[in-house]
């Protein structure tokens, strides 16, 4: 199982000098990606947002800067809001990133959990589902062949045009990110595309039917489910002790969830909710390295997922705490998880 991180590059939305705040966060972010590479993590994902509380409206640009400072870690969007972007440009950007990184780029495409990009780029929310469906179809066509002929209802057609540059990886990896909508899960399976499921609330085990649905949709679509990758993308934090991890993470995470909750009509969170969420059955993967490793392994047994991405850099988390969390993730958690999964893999044939 691949182990990695993702973030939206949170900034202070109330900063007076937004340029200086963005510069600070992106400088820290590049250090975080570089450290993740050095300690042996497998993937770093960067989410696209168009809001004052996030600095990553152009993930491919930031990941290209990270490509020059890293050598092994895979570099992915998490997610690309495909519905409000142009699939040809998305492919060109990530194909270029793939060349710069020597074959380490990935696209994680989704409909987006926020809607700011739709009016910003002149898209109608009335076309929310159709936009994604059409643009995903075009993106898949562009990655499959050099010259493309395509037509849809919401974008001008492409008539036998070449799309360049071509990536080093063939095909360029494309994941579908979903938030729990069964129709989205089934579509990913039917198309034979890897699926990344965000779990940021409730008990993770409640999401196991979606993995079953994904694999069944793949099977019905003539795909081999064993060849399709899945990921869970979650919130959490790692520190030297579980108490320290909880105390450091609660404030910034609660502030972000309450800010978003006010926009969406959610009730406020509190420390009791937080402590329940970090229990063995909750959605937060938080604690000392041993606690987090045990929870990752336990949920791998539930989902049989091929990738695990952790969002630690949330809200106003201090940079030094994030860096320590990344260090522990790579040097302590990852070896424990890999050892446990290797032992489990070796034991399965003997028990069959």
């Amino acid at each position: 199982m691949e182990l990695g991180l993702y973030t939206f590059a949170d900034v202070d939305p109330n900063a007076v000098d937004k340029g200086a705040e963005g510069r600070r966060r992106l400088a820290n972010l590049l250090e975080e990606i570089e450290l993740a590479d050095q300690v042996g993590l497998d993937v770093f994902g960067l989410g696209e947002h168009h809001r004052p509380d996030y600095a990553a409206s152009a993930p491919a640009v930031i990941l290209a800067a990270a490509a020059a400072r890293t050598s092994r870690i895979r570099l992915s969007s998490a997610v690309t809001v495909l519905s409000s972007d142009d699939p040809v440009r998305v492919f060109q950007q990530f194909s270029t990133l793939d060349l710069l990184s020597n074959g380490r780029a990935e696209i994680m495409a989704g409909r987006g959990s926020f809607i700011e990009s739709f009016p910003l780029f002149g898209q109608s929310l009335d076309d929310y589902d159709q936009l994604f469906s059409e643009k995903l179809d075009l993106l898949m066509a562009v990655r499959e062949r050099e010259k493309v002929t395509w037509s849809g209802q919401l974008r001008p057609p492409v008539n036998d045009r070449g799309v360049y540059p071509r990536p080093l990886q063939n095909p360029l990896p494309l994941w579908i990110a979903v938030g729990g909508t069964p129709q989205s899960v089934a579509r990913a399976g039917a198309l034979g595309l890897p699926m990344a499921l965000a779990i940021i609330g409730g008990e993770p085990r409640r999401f196991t039917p979606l993995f079953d649905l994904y694999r069944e949709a793949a099977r019905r679509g003539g795909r081999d489910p064993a060849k399709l990758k899945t990921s869970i993308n979650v919130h959490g934090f790692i520190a030297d002790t579980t108490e320290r991890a909880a105390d450091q993470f609660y404030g910034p995470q609660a502030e972000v969830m309450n800010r978003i909750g006010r926009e969406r009509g959610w009730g406020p969170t509190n420390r009791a909710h937080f402590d329940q969420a970090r229990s063995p059955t909750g959605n937060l993967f938080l604690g000392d390295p041993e606690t987090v490793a045990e929870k990752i392994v336990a949920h791998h047994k539930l989902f049989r997922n091929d990738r695990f991405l952790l969002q630690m850099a949330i809200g106003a988390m201090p940079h030094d705490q994030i860096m320590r969390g990344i260090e522990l993730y790579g040097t302590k958690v990852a070896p424990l998880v890999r050892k446990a999964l290797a032992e489990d893999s070796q034991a399965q044939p003997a028990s069959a």
Side-chain angles (χ1 to χ4, degrees), residues 30-38 44 63-75 100-102 104:
L30 290 176
E31 290 183 2
E32 292 160 15
I33 301 174
E34 187 173 18
L35 178 59
D37 183 59
Q38 291 170 353
F44 200 103
L63 294 173
R69 298 174 58 160
T70 58
S71 61
R72 196 190 62 84
I73 197 166
R74 300 195 65 77
L75 303 168
L100 291 171
S101 64
N102 195 29
R104 293 184 283 130

Side-chain angles (χ1 to χ4, degrees), residues 208-245:
T208 53
L210 293 178
F211 283 81
D212 296 336
L213 172 62
Y214 171 74
R215 294 179 176 116
E216 178 59 25
R219 190 176 295 109
R220 292 188 178 187
R223 320 284 181 174
D224 182 358
K227 295 181 179 179
L228 298 181
K229 293 184 177 181
T230 58
S231 175
I232 59 171
N233 300 358
V234 303
H235 289 182
F237 192 68
I238 306 160
D240 291 280
T241 68
T242 294
E243 292 74 18
R244 183 176 299 173

